């Protein structure tokens, strides 16, 4: 992985970040505002509002590989903390409260802590993909301008995070060939839909209230997951790795003459 590229990316991404106009008048009706507020309150906790760092018991196995990687991880989580700040502004705008615990977030952190840094990185990658689906729907249907502007900023960051995860996975032994490669992709999709379903269960009232549908959400989740898997393949192609379905070359037996 090109560490310098990611340090430059995260450093540059701090620039040109127009702050949403939080003081603008609110025009959303109360029937939409209430579920939207509950959703944004919860999302603030999950998106950088908790521990803005890797928390797996063996996180140093990843972080301390190089000093550059440690810096990249810190820059990545600084952006997550910025998401929590932005979401906090939206919560205050709608007259909500900053929540510090929720059952789904507690379960999320327990998994991240207990199952090791490799699993934690996969869970975080999947959360970035399904969160992208959420923020896209929230932006597209938002009845509130500043909220849509906030989603635009977060989506810009998440696109960078997803690209970083793709680079990390490609350079870090994501299985590329044969049955292992297919199984890895299947488990990735399976956990991705599980993460998406958890998000839908908690945030459907908001997404429905603003005019979204379950079909739209799952098609967005599918789009994000498949695009990520396809982009892994593109990186592999550039590195000269044969396709999943490529058979290993047959061993040539020489017959004695
Ligand atoms: Fe985020
Ligand atoms: Fe992210």
């Amino acid at each position: 992985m090109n560490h310098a590229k990611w340090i430059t990316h995260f450093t540059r991404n701090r620039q040109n970040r127009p702050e949403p106009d939080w003081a603008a008048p609110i025009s959303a009706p109360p029937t939409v505002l209430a579920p939207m507020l509950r959703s944004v309150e919860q999302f603030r906790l999950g998106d950088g509002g908790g521990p803005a760092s890797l928390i797996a018991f063996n996180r140093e196995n990843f972080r301390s590989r190089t000093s550059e990687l440690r810096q990249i991880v810190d820059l990545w989580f600084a952006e997550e903390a910025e998401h929590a700040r932005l979401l906090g502004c939206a919560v205050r705008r709608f007259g909500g409260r900053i929540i510090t615990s929720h059952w789904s977030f507690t379960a999320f952190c327990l998994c991240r802590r207990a199952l090791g840094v490799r699993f934690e990185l996969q869970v975080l990658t999947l959360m970035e993909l399904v969160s992208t689906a959420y923020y896209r729907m929230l932006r597209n249907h938002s009845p509130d301008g500043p909220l849509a502007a906030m989603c635009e900023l977060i989506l810009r960051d998440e696109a960078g995070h997803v690209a970083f995860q793709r680079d990390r996975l490609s350079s870090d032994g994501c299985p590329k060939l044969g049955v292992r490669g297919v199984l890895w992709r299947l488990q990735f999709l399976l956990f991705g839909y599980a993460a998406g379903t958890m998000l839908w269960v908690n945030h459907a009232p908001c997404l429905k209230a603003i005019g979204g549908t379950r079909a739209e959400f799952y098609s967005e989740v599918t789009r994000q997951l498949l695009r990520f898997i396809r982009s892994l393949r593109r990186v592999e192609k550039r590195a000269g790795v044969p396709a999943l379905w490529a058979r290993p070359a047959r061993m040539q037996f020489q017959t004695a003459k």
Side-chain angles (χ1 to χ4, degrees):
M1 189 167 63
N2 184 342
H3 290 156
K5 173 185 133 183
W6 287 110
I7 292 172
T8 307
H9 163 81
F10 283 116
T11 309
R12 280 208 188 129
N13 199 41
R14 288 174 169 171
Q15 295 157 9
N16 301 321
R17 301 183 68 87
E19 188 69 14
D21 181 8
W22 299 117
I26 300 170
S27 55
T31 47
V32 173
L33 204 55
M36 207 162 67
L37 174 57
R38 273 197 301 279
S39 174
V40 174
E41 279 176 345
Q42 265 186 47
F43 230 90
R44 192 210 63 85
L45 181 61
D47 197 355
S53 58
L54 291 173
I55 56 173
F57 69 92
N58 60 347
R59 59 192 170 275
E60 286 305 315
N61 291 358
F62 179 73
R63 269 171 60 84
S64 61
R65 280 183 193 169
T66 63
S67 60
E68 289 97 336
L69 191 55
R70 185 183 287 276
Q71 191 183 349
I72 292 168
V73 171
D74 290 345
L75 288 166
W76 162 31
F77 278 102
E79 285 194 358
E80 298 299 2
E82 169 62 7
H83 298 171
R85 185 194 70 80
L86 286 164
L87 287 154
C89 290
V91 168
R92 278 187 284 275
R93 169 174 168 75
F94 299 142
R97 68 209 159 92
I98 300 296
I99 60 171
T100 51
S101 70
H102 187 267
W103 70 266
S104 60
F105 185 66
T106 307
F108 178 56
C109 287
L110 270 175
C111 289
R112 284 172 58 188
R113 262 202 192 93
L115 298 175
V117 73
R118 201 182 162 107
F119 185 81
E120 181 180 28
L121 285 166
Q122 170 158 306
V123 168
L124 291 172
T125 305
L126 291 170
M127 287 315 295
E128 309 207 275
L129 291 166
V130 298
S131 297
T132 297
Y134 168 84
Y135 284 121
R136 280 176 62 85
M137 277 182 77
L138 196 59
R139 179 196 59 186
N140 296 347
H141 293 280
S142 174
D144 187 69
L147 190 71
M150 177 204 76
C151 292
E152 196 65 52
L153 274 175
I154 296 179
L155 281 166
R156 170 178 127 183
D157 297 343
E158 294 300 353
H161 299 182
V162 166
F164 162 66
Q165 302 296 355
R166 184 196 58 215
D167 252 23
R168 174 189 65 75
L169 265 171
S170 305
S171 63
D172 208 23
C174 147
K176 297 174 179 74
L177 283 170
V179 176
R180 280 191 66 220
V182 173
L183 288 178
W184 186 88
R185 280 153 177 81
L186 282 177
Q187 69 80 28
F188 188 83
L189 282 175
L190 195 71
F191 279 111
Y193 282 115
T197 300
M198 193 136 162
L199 195 156
W200 177 253
V201 166
N202 283 316
H203 300 276
C206 161
L207 295 176
K208 283 181 182 168
I210 59 174
T213 63
R214 183 201 302 254
E216 185 185 355
F217 176 74
Y218 278 99
S219 95
E220 193 59 61
V221 166
T222 303
R223 199 166 86 92
Q224 298 303 329
L225 291 172
L226 293 183
R227 196 159 72 165
F228 185 77
I229 285 177
R230 276 197 295 267
S231 73
L232 275 176
R233 177 69 202 128
R234 276 198 298 277
V235 174
E236 288 162 6
K237 252 185 186 168
R238 261 182 259 136
V241 178
L244 277 174
W245 49 89
R247 286 162 184 252
R250 285 232 174 104
M251 285 176 83
Q252 300 293 317
F253 292 103
Q254 285 212 318
T255 47
K257 288 188 180 166

